[in-house]
Amino acid sequence: MTAIHRTPSRGLASLLVPLLAGGLVVLALGVYGRAHTPTGHAVGVAGFSAALPMKAWLTTGALVLAFVQVVSALSMWGRLGIAVPPGVHRWSGRLAFLLTIPVAFHCLYALGLQYDVPRVLAHSLLGCFFYGVFTAKMLALPKRDTPGWTLPVFGGLAFTALVGLWLTSAFWFFTAVGIKV
């Protein structure tokens, strides 16, 4: 068996496009969120009493699926000693991402990027960061010459951002307003 020698600069160079694209997503969402005049109108709350419960529950669903992502990733990398069925990681990630789309759309369209309240500022910035790091991870995924730490770090950052988003939104809603549907 021959050893594969990766040159550090080659592996890092392969991250240039994913990182630039992720950075552009962060910047574009932030600029749009700040420049766009928020409508203040709820969008797509079918099945929910209002926009805030919809966002809280969809974000909670995404968070639960993010935990599935962590467990299935650890299993795929042989860190748990248990096998997770094939496709669980991929499909839980897809579903988690899909659950975030109506939430992000509502946040950007109806509310915009806000900076008056520290919790809301943190939430706005975490939202932009989440989509940027998610973009970088998805673009780095098919590249075989990236450093071995790429996917765990990008995945960990996406997970951390999603936890932060949940804490600054759904957790806040459930503790300040109550559990409503």
Side-chain angles (χ1 to χ4, degrees), residues 123-142:
H123 183 75
S124 294
L125 296 176
L126 282 167
C128 295
F129 179 75
F130 170 77
Y131 283 100
V133 76
F134 180 83
T135 299
K137 181 184 178 215
M138 292 299 103
L139 291 175
L141 200 55

Side-chain angles (χ1 to χ4, degrees), residues 4-126:
I4 298 173
H5 298 286
R6 289 186 180 176
T7 56
S9 61
R10 174 68 182 132
L12 292 177
S14 66
L15 290 177
L16 187 60
V17 169
L19 288 172
L20 283 174
L24 287 173
V25 166
V26 171
L27 187 62
L29 289 174
V31 167
Y32 175 79
R34 195 66 204 127
H36 166 72
T37 303
T39 64
H41 299 291
V43 178
V45 296
F48 294 95
S49 59
L52 285 179
M54 181 257 322
K55 290 168 40 176
W57 285 108
L58 291 180
T59 304
T60 300
L63 180 69
V64 169
L65 290 167
F67 277 101
V68 172
Q69 284 277 284
V70 170
V71 170
S72 61
L74 290 170
S75 174
M76 286 186 325
W77 292 96
R79 302 281 191 238
L80 292 182
I82 61 168
V84 173
V88 168
H89 186 77
R90 186 170 291 178
W91 280 101
S92 62
R94 288 173 179 164
L95 290 173
F97 181 76
L98 286 175
L99 288 177
T100 69
I101 297 294
V103 176
F105 181 78
H106 178 270
C107 288
L108 280 171
Y109 182 75
L111 306 173
L113 191 143
Q114 298 179 18
Y115 56 86
D116 297 340
V117 177
R119 177 190 62 81
V120 178
L121 171 63
H123 183 75
S124 294
L125 296 176
L126 282 167

